[in-house]
């Protein structure tokens, strides 16, 4: 649940921001998963171009 009344939104909650300090909490495992997905798609596109 977001803190819309305090200038906080659901998007901020999803982004992993601390509602009190505004600092990014981060999610490094998720970031590595996204990088792996991007890498896999890039490899598929390259293979199709051959």
């Amino acid at each position: 649940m977001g803190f819309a009344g305090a200038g906080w939104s659901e998007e901020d909650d999803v982004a992993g921001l601390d509602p009190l300090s505004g600092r990014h909490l981060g999610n490094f495992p998720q970031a590595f998963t996204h990088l792996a997905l991007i890498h896999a798609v890039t490899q598929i596109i390259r293979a199709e171009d051959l």
Side-chain angles (χ1 to χ4, degrees):
M1 176 187 262
F3 299 94
W8 203 253
S9 71
E10 290 291 329
E11 291 178 14
D12 296 327
D13 291 343
V14 173
L17 297 174
D18 183 329
L20 299 177
S21 69
R23 288 181 26 196
H24 283 274
L25 299 175
N27 187 340
F28 290 108
Q30 185 179 32
F32 290 130
T33 301
H34 290 163
L35 287 174
L37 178 62
I38 292 168
H39 177 73
V41 170
T42 302
Q43 295 301 316
I44 291 170
I45 291 170
R46 285 183 182 164
E48 289 178 346
D49 288 341
L50 293 179

